[in-house]
Every structure is written in structure tokens, then in C-alpha cells.
Amino acid sequence: MTKKDTVSGYKLVFGYLGAMLLVIGVVLLLPLLILFTYPEEICYAYCFVVPSIPCFVVGYILMKLIRNKDTAPLNRNHDAIIVVFSWLLLIFLSAIPFILTKNFTFIQAVFESTSAYTTTGLSVMNSDSLPRIFLLFRSIGLFIGGVGLILVVSTVLSSYYGMRLYGTEGHSEKLLPNVIKTSRLILSVYSLYILLGTLAFIYFGMDWFDAINHAIAALSTGGFSTKSAGISYFNSIPIELVAISLMLLGGTGFLIHVLITKLNFKKVLLHCETKFNIFLFFTVIPFFCFSLCQHFNFSILHSLRITLFNVVSAVTTTGFQTIPKFPLLPPSLFLCLIILMLIGGNTGSTSGGIKQYRMIIILKEMWWNILDKTSFRRIVRVYTVNKYGENEAIDQYEKRKVSSFIFLYLFIFLIATFIFTCFGHSISNSMFEVASALSGTGISSGIISSSCPTPILLTTCACMLLGRLEIYVIILSFLRIFMDLRHRKQLS
């Protein structure tokens, strides 16, 4: 019996990237399924077949590096390199179909692709004029970006290192003994939600194509629509209520879904993010509703309809909007939406932002510091946070990690805002647009369009990707590459 070779280092990295390329090749071909119902769009098939071919060829060649061989443990931060470059390959290869239509520039195509996979929903394209095959392609991007590329690939990579990649992408919920079963459970549950949402949309008047695209967009908290007017095109309260339900499901951590299916509502209500959500809604919604009544002289019911939909959309970082022009809002509401977008949804959900768990930790840290400074006796306190019904101790490392992430997040927010203001945009509009991109929300103050300067589009792309991969993964991956290159140069 021959002994298998052991693969390690960058050979292992490239081997995993080969697996990613095979999956990306399949993703590029998925929009062709629409040809069964809309055969007239077969003229666009080449846009997807052409980029898929090199994915399969190169992916197959790279997979030979690890096929039928033992794999050593990944070196430190090599998992980050795999995740980041998998996302970059996905984004750039998925931009090719848009480029091949010859209707969009390279930057516009990359922007749209980035917006889809980061579930942001900002667009430089007119949805009314896009062929259905491209609308479906964007929605497929939202689904994959929402659940996570690595989660999808983890259903193929069954080794222990699949779990390391899974965690590196930002997932923390290991619900079943191995990542394969966890990944399939998550995909199954989200697919069921999309099916139910699609049926509900159809029942309330959408055609099947609009229904499935909006169901995916709402659950993945992406916000892309098949209409340039967005979901307000349908002007239907039942449709908005279905969308609100899907947005809330998407913005809720997956472990909460598991607790609900087990009818363990006590743990759901005790969970810190559930209580934080309730606090947000019961404080923001009345204020928002009252301000709309005062400023626009709306009726209470009309104000409540607008408020409920747009506040849920902002908190879950979905990006659906029923307000035509956000800059027309009173400054207090404009700022309120910026704050909600930056906070974002639950940990382990499809939504973006800083995440509510981190906000809870930083707010509690402020309160704990006040208690320590006002106490007349030296007391050793154990500080806890309720996670999924159980009180967990929060150590200094966890608090430092959360604080440094929030500081870095806000630092990037300010730098990107500064870049926007350099192109003549107001501070308020720039902050709104950057918050929307960085949190993966997608509602716009009107800055982003097809005529935007290239630096604005590139800055927005960077914000979307940094926000989706939560910053540190990208930093660690490029630092590791730089250090490896430097070390190799010194040795030579």
C-alpha cells in the first residue's frame, strides 16, 4: 500500500482555491435554469458559459494538488487567505457576464457583483431594462452571499479544515457534530423560508419571477428588486408585511431559528439580542412615526406603515425602501437611519453592520466601568451576557476584541465618508451612503449611480467587502502574504 503525499502550505491553499473555482463555475451556470421558462433569453447564455469554462479547467488542475493526498493543518492565517481570495475570485468572475453584454464598464460590473455577494443591494443598473437571466443571477448572488460562500463550499469539503474556513468567514453556529450537517441544515431552512415567502408573494399578487427574486432578496437581507422602483412598485400592504417577516427572519441569528423550532421561547426571549431588538423597535418606531406625522402631515396609519417597513429594513440591513428620497427626511430621522444601519442585525444572521451582540458588549462595558468607579469597596465581579438563554461570562479578551473591532469599523466609516466629501457630497449624504455600503444595507441617499466617479464606486466596493468579511479577515490575509513574501526574499 503506497503512502499518500502530505500537502501543506501554499499548495494546500491553492488546492482549496481550486475547489472554490469548481463551485464558482457551477454558480455561473445556475442562471441558465431560467431558459426553461424564458427560452428567448438564450442569446445571453454565452455570457455565463464563457467564464464558467476556465473555472472548471483551472479548478480541476488546482484540485489535483490535494486530490487523494493527506492534508497537513493549515498554517496560521492561511484560512483567511483562502476565504478572501475565494470571495475576490467569485466577485471578479461574476462580473464577466455583465461585461460580456457590452452594456456595462468593468467597474460597473464589479460594483454590481460586489453588491450582490455582499448582500448590499446598491445598484448602478436599471432593473427595468435588465434581462431576467441577469436579475436571477443577482438574486443567486444574494443567496450565496447571505448564507456565505464558504458555507456552500463546506457541503463539498468534508474535512476538519472546512470548519476552519467556515468560522473564518464569520460563522459561529456549529449546530450539529460536523460542518457538513450544519451547512446542509442552514441551507435547507433558508430554502424553506424562500419557498414559503415566494408562495406568499404570489398569493398577494406578484408573478412567480418577481416573487422568488423578492423572497431571496428579503431573506438574504440584500434588497435587490426586479423593479427600478423597488418593492414600493407593488404598493401593497400584504406584500410589505410578507417582506417584513422575511427581513426579520434574515436578520435573526440562525441559533434563534433552531430554538424557535424546538418551541424554546423562554431562551429566545432571554437572549440578549432579542431584548436589544425589542428595545430598538419600541423606542425607534414611535419616534420615527411621530416625526413623520409632524414633518409631512401624514396620518398615523400611513406613518406607521412607512415607519415599520423602513425601520425593519434598516435594522436588518436589507435595503428595501418605500421612502422615495431619504434626504427629504428630517435630520433627526436621517441620523437615526444611519445609526440603525451601523448597528445592524443579529450575530449569525444574513444581515450586516457592527452586529447587535457587539453593541451590547460595548454598552455593558461602559456600564460596568461606571459601576467599578463608583463602588466604595473592591468587589470581584463576574460580568455576564445572556446568550441563547444561558448567562456567559465575558472576559477581558472578549471585551478588547469587541472594542477594537468597533473602533476599526468606525475608523473605516470616517475615512470612506471623507473620500465621498472630497467629491463634493455633503457630510450627511456621505455618511448615509457609506453606512449603507459598509453595513451591507443598500438604501441610498442618491449618490450612487451609473455616472458616479470611479473612486466613489471603488470606495463603495471596498466598504461592501470589508463590511461583509468583517475587516480583520482581509487584513490578516494580506499581512500573511506580505510576511511570507518578505521571509522568502530574506532566505533567498
Side-chain angles (χ1 to χ4, degrees):
M1 187 173 179
T2 58
K3 185 179 178 181
K4 295 181 181 179
D5 295 330
T6 300
V7 184
S8 61
Y10 277 96
K11 280 189 177 180
L12 186 58
V13 170
F14 282 108
Y16 278 119
L17 287 176
M20 301 295 176
L21 280 171
L22 293 178
V23 174
I24 292 170
V26 174
V27 169
L28 289 168
L29 294 179
L30 288 178
L32 299 182
L33 293 173
I34 202 174
L35 298 179
F36 289 106
T37 50
Y38 297 102
E40 66 274 13
E41 297 200 353
I42 196 170
C43 58
Y44 299 108
Y46 78 96
C47 296
F48 301 92
V49 173
V50 168
S52 71
I53 294 172
C55 288
F56 290 123
V57 173
V58 178
Y60 178 79
I61 293 170
L62 291 178
M63 276 288 287
K64 282 188 173 182
L65 294 172
I66 59 174
R67 189 181 292 112
N68 299 323
K69 296 177 183 178
D70 291 328
T71 55
L74 286 165
N75 294 336
R76 187 179 183 184
N77 295 329
H78 276 191
D79 50 354
I81 294 173
I82 296 169
V83 168
V84 171
F85 279 86
S86 296
W87 274 80
L88 291 175
L89 285 169
L90 179 67
I91 287 169
F92 283 105
L93 289 168
S94 296
I96 295 174
F98 294 107
I99 296 170
L100 291 177
T101 64
K102 298 181 181 178
N103 294 323
F104 309 104
T105 65
F106 172 76
I107 297 299
Q108 289 172 340
V110 169
F111 182 95
E112 203 75 9
S113 177
T114 305
S115 185
Y117 289 113
T118 59
T119 69
T120 304
L122 287 170
S123 180
V124 292
M125 299 180 184
N126 185 349
S127 297
D128 292 333
S129 60
L130 271 181
R132 290 184 180 89
I133 194 169
F134 285 96
L135 293 174
L136 180 62
F137 183 45
R138 294 195 313 182
S139 295
I140 291 169
L142 291 179
F143 180 78
I144 291 171
V147 299
L149 170 66
I150 303 305
L151 184 144
V152 175
V153 176
S154 292
T155 61
V156 181
L157 297 177
S158 58
S159 68
Y160 163 77
Y161 305 108
M163 186 64 212
R164 287 192 62 181
L165 298 179
Y166 175 85
T168 305
E169 193 180 41
H171 303 284
S172 57
E173 57 285 342
K174 190 179 180 183
L175 311 175
L176 296 171
N178 63 62
V179 70
I180 304 304
K181 292 181 179 179
T182 299
S183 301
R184 288 173 182 170
L185 175 63
I186 293 173
L187 287 172
S188 298
V189 171
Y190 280 134
S191 297
L192 176 62
Y193 287 153
I194 289 171
L195 175 62
L196 295 175
T198 300
L199 294 175
F201 279 137
I202 292 172
Y203 180 80
F204 290 117
M206 282 190 184
D207 67 44
W208 74 268
F209 184 77
D210 290 336
I212 192 170
N213 280 276
H214 282 90
I216 293 172
L219 185 69
S220 65
T221 63
F224 273 138
S225 176
T226 55
K227 310 293 182 184
S228 59
I231 204 161
S232 58
Y233 168 89
F234 302 97
N235 193 27
S236 167
I237 293 176
I239 283 176
E240 290 174 16
L241 290 175
V242 173
I244 287 171
S245 302
L246 290 171
M247 288 189 290
L248 288 173
L249 287 172
T252 301
F254 193 80
L255 282 171
I256 296 296
H257 295 291
V258 174
L259 291 174
I260 291 172
T261 58
K262 293 180 178 179
L263 303 180
N264 202 331
F265 298 110
K266 184 178 179 181
K267 286 188 174 183
V268 172
L269 292 173
L270 288 174
H271 179 54
C272 58
E273 289 178 315
T274 303
K275 291 186 282 187
F276 189 80
N277 258 325
I278 293 170
F279 171 77
L280 272 183
F281 289 133
F282 274 89
T283 52
V284 173
I285 289 175
F287 168 72
F288 208 104
C289 186
F290 177 75
S291 296
L292 285 179
C293 289
Q294 290 290 101
H295 192 78
F296 295 107
N297 200 27
F298 290 157
S299 67
I300 291 290
L301 289 177
H302 186 56
S303 295
L304 184 60
R305 175 184 174 183
I306 294 173
T307 297
L308 186 62
F309 188 88
N310 290 280
V311 167
V312 170
S313 182
V315 170
T316 59
T317 69
T318 304
F320 282 145
Q321 61 187 73
T322 56
I323 298 173
K325 295 182 179 179
F326 281 101
L328 296 179
L329 291 174
S332 58
L333 297 187
F334 203 64
L335 178 61
C336 181
L337 287 173
I338 292 173
I339 294 171
L340 292 177
M341 288 190 292
L342 289 174
I343 292 173
N346 289 185
T347 302
S349 69
T350 62
S351 59
I354 292 171
K355 298 291 174 63
Q356 293 174 11
Y357 174 73
R358 291 191 181 102
M359 292 303 301
I360 291 165
I361 295 297
I362 202 70
L363 290 172
K364 280 183 172 287
E365 171 69 356
M366 292 164 61
W367 175 243
W368 292 333
N369 281 332
I370 291 171
L371 288 179
D372 288 340
K373 291 182 183 298
T374 54
S375 177
F376 294 101
R377 294 182 298 169
R378 289 189 175 182
I379 302 173
V380 178
R381 293 188 176 91
V382 178
Y383 297 113
T384 62
V385 169
N386 193 295
K387 293 181 70 176
Y388 310 108
E390 305 291 338
N391 286 323
E392 290 191 9
I394 304 298
D395 57 22
Q396 289 297 324
Y397 172 74
E398 178 74 6
K399 289 187 282 188
R400 285 197 304 269
K401 188 170 70 171
V402 168
S403 299
S404 61
F405 176 85
I406 293 176
F407 174 81
L408 184 57
Y409 193 96
L410 294 178
F411 178 73
I412 292 170
F413 169 68
L414 292 175
I415 293 296
T417 300
F418 173 75
I419 293 172
F420 271 65
T421 57
C422 289
F423 286 84
H425 300 292
S426 67
I427 293 176
S428 58
N429 285 353
S430 298
M431 290 178 67
F432 190 92
E433 211 78 2
V434 171
S436 180
L438 191 59
S439 65
T441 306
I443 53 180
S444 176
S445 63
I447 293 177
I448 297 299
S449 68
S450 58
S451 59
C452 270
T454 297
I456 290 287
L457 293 180
L458 290 176
T459 301
T460 307
C461 284
C463 286
M464 291 190 287
L465 190 59
L466 284 166
R468 176 60 183 84
L469 294 182
E470 299 203 330
I471 305 169
Y472 278 115
V473 178
I474 296 176
I475 294 173
L476 291 174
S477 66
F478 283 102
L479 276 177
R480 180 59 203 246
I481 292 171
F482 173 77
M483 290 170 64
D484 287 343
L485 289 173
R486 186 179 178 184
H487 179 68
R488 185 173 179 180
K489 185 177 180 181
Q490 288 175 345
L491 289 178
S492 61

